[in-house]
């Protein structure tokens, strides 16, 4: 994989890495408290969290409807085992993902809607009451984790945008910036990362727009400042670091489907009985414990989503 050698973001001074007003404001508060030196000794990640303009929204109220049948994956394991190809094709991308600059960040909502809009991420996040849901996550590579996501249901954003009758799908797009994300210099991949759902899927309660995890704003490696969670589908559908949300008439083609349509399709619903062309999907390796457990149809969410796929070609639903 081609990487450009540049100074990592954690090596630049705090004054450059932080918007000036936040930097100055925090410095004066800390100085007033006599904490300047102690703060300088904090790891950069802790200081970045402190600066997040939405930090006051966490912890978000738990939604008791979304429980788990297994323990939560510890944060330090989840936060150091990620798929985020913009930062490398391996799992240990947490350090390089700190190059992701999440402010300023605008999300463009458009296409076939009555109310197209472009919102600063902090305004978007504050439009909806945040809640915390415990979700399973099953990667197509046959590993799984559990995670406390915070955010708001996708259907609330759909209602705000007010789609027109001919909007049949929602297409999500990640940022495109090969300087901020060296992985985007790898021309094997048709950047930016794209994913999509149908309007019917988006109307369910389960699709979740994630703004936080583990009771704080989303860490960069999880796809800050806004990602999707579609827990009944293979993990590649849960697109990270969303910049653009378009309501469209045509079925979107995701990044993985564009590269290898025989292995990764649009629907990508979890099904233990349909193997990936190169491996079985019958079991999954649970992160942290390493235990091999049976995979469940729709990743255990059949009651929530199963009825949606009646009458559709089953062969396509699980590709
Ligand atoms: N989104 C973007 N933009 N880039 C990616 O490489 N990887 C996907 C998905 N969303 C990916 C992405 C895959 S394959 C998985 S399994 C999940 O993110 C991983 O999410 P996690 O790192 O929070 O576990």
């Amino acid at each position: 994989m081609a990487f450009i050698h540049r100074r990592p973001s954690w090596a630049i001074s705090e004054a450059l890495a932080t918007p000036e007003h936040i930097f100055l404001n925090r410095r004066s508060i800390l100085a007033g408290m006599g904490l300047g030196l102690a703060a300088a000794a904090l790891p950069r990640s802790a200081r970045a969290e402190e600066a997040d303009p939405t930090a006051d929204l966490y912890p978000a109220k738990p939604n008791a409807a979304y429980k788990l049948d297994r323990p939560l994956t510890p944060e330090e394991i989840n936060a150091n085992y990620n798929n985020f190809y913009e930062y490398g094709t391996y799992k240990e991308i947490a350090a390089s993902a700190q190059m992701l600059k999440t402010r300023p960040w605008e999300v463009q909502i458009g296409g076939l809607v009555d109310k197209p809009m472009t919102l600063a991420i902090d305004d978007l996040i504050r439009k909806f009451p945040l809640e915390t849901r415990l979700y399973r996550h099953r990667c197509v590579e046959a590993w799984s984790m559990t995670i406390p996501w915070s955010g708001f249901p996708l259907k609330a954003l759909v209602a705000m945008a007010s789609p027109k009758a001919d909007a049949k799908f929602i297409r999500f797009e990640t940022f495109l910036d090969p300087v901020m994300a060296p992985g985007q210099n790898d021309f094997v991949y048709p950047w930016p990362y794209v994913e999509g759902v149908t309007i019917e899927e988006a109307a369910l309660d389960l699709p979740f727009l994630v703004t936080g995890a583990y009771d704080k704003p989303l860490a960069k490696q999880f796809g800050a400042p806004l990602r999707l969670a579609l827990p009944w589908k293979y993990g590649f559908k849960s697109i990270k670091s969303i910049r653009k949300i378009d309501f469209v008439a045509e079925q979107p083609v995701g990044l993985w489907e564009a590269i290898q349509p025989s292995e990764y399709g649009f629907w990508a619903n979890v099904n233990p009985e349909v193997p990936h062309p190169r491996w079985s999907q019958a079991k999954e390796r649970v992160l942290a414990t390493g235990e091999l457990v049976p995979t469940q149809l729709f990743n255990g969410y059949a009651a929530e989503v199963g009825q949606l796929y009646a009458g559709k070609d089953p062969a396509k639903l699980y590709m």
Side-chain angles (χ1 to χ4, degrees):
M1 182 153 198
F3 277 99
I4 290 183
H5 287 285
R6 61 200 298 275
R7 223 167 153 212
S9 65
W10 36 263
I12 63 179
S13 83
E14 190 192 44
L16 289 174
T18 311
E20 196 180 24
H21 67 281
I22 295 172
F23 171 69
L24 292 175
N25 192 18
R26 193 166 67 229
R27 266 296 146 95
S28 55
I29 293 167
L30 292 174
M33 294 166 72
L35 291 175
L37 277 177
L42 279 176
R44 193 188 176 289
S45 58
R47 280 184 274 140
E49 270 162 32
E50 186 192 9
D52 190 295
T54 60
D56 60 298
L57 300 175
Y58 303 89
K61 191 167 153 268
N63 180 337
Y66 296 99
K67 299 190 273 274
L68 292 173
D69 59 351
R70 56 181 84 151
L72 274 181
T73 309
E75 179 181 2
E76 59 277 17
I77 291 184
N78 253 347
N80 289 292
Y81 190 92
N82 304 98
N83 275 336
F84 201 174
Y85 274 42
E86 285 83 345
Y87 291 96
T89 55
Y90 42 92
K91 303 288 184 271
E92 295 75 21
I93 52 79
S96 48
Q98 303 315 307
M99 289 166 72
L100 172 63
K101 197 168 170 286
T102 57
R103 299 292 188 289
W105 188 280
E106 287 188 336
V107 180
Q108 214 180 308
I109 303 170
L112 304 168
V113 291
D114 294 330
K115 298 180 198 157
M117 59 186 94
T118 299
L119 290 170
I121 187 67
D122 299 313
D123 297 335
L124 176 66
I125 293 174
R126 286 183 192 278
K127 276 195 183 299
F128 306 96
L130 299 190
E131 54 179 82
T132 295
R133 299 179 175 194
L134 309 184
Y135 270 13
R136 285 188 287 271
H137 175 98
R138 169 61 158 82
C139 180
V140 74
E141 300 162 338
W143 55 265
S144 68
M145 62 168 185
T146 49
I147 186 159
W149 291 131
S150 298
F152 55 92
L154 171 62
K155 66 179 185 183
L157 181 135
V158 174
M160 179 179 79
S162 179
K164 295 181 189 296
D166 48 351
K168 303 290 182 226
F169 299 90
I170 309 180
R171 179 186 183 278
F172 300 87
E173 195 179 290
T174 299
F175 66 87
L176 181 61
D177 184 342
V179 173
M180 185 169 77
Q184 291 185 335
N185 291 294
D186 187 339
F187 296 113
V188 167
Y189 301 97
W191 306 109
Y193 203 100
V194 166
E195 262 308 335
V197 295
T198 65
I199 280 284
E200 292 79 18
E201 288 175 327
L204 297 168
D205 195 50
L206 202 54
F208 201 48
L209 277 167
V210 175
T211 61
Y214 295 98
D215 288 340
K216 52 191 180 237
L218 207 52
K220 294 183 179 186
Q221 60 269 34
F222 288 136
L226 185 71
R227 73 171 286 169
L228 197 57
L230 304 169
W232 75 102
K233 293 180 180 287
Y234 290 117
F236 69 87
K237 296 288 298 180
S238 293
I239 182 171
K240 296 180 167 184
S241 301
I242 298 167
R243 271 273 172 81
K244 220 162 162 270
I245 303 176
D246 281 313
F247 291 74
V248 296
E250 303 291 320
Q251 186 171 301
V253 179
L255 175 134
W256 287 105
E257 187 180 7
I259 298 171
Q260 195 56 280
S262 61
E263 298 191 355
Y264 309 100
F266 171 79
W267 298 98
N269 290 323
V270 175
N271 187 341
E273 287 175 16
V274 179
H276 182 277
R278 289 182 281 134
W279 58 83
S280 164
Q281 296 291 22
K283 292 190 175 162
E284 64 205 55
R285 185 174 51 85
V286 178
L287 279 197
T289 66
E291 213 185 338
L292 262 189
V293 301
T295 288
Q296 300 174 54
L297 181 63
F298 297 114
N299 197 24
Y301 295 98
E304 284 88 345
V305 305
Q307 75 289 352
L308 203 60
Y309 303 106
K312 293 206 158 61
D313 178 354
K316 287 194 174 148
L317 288 180
Y318 305 105
M319 199 172 67

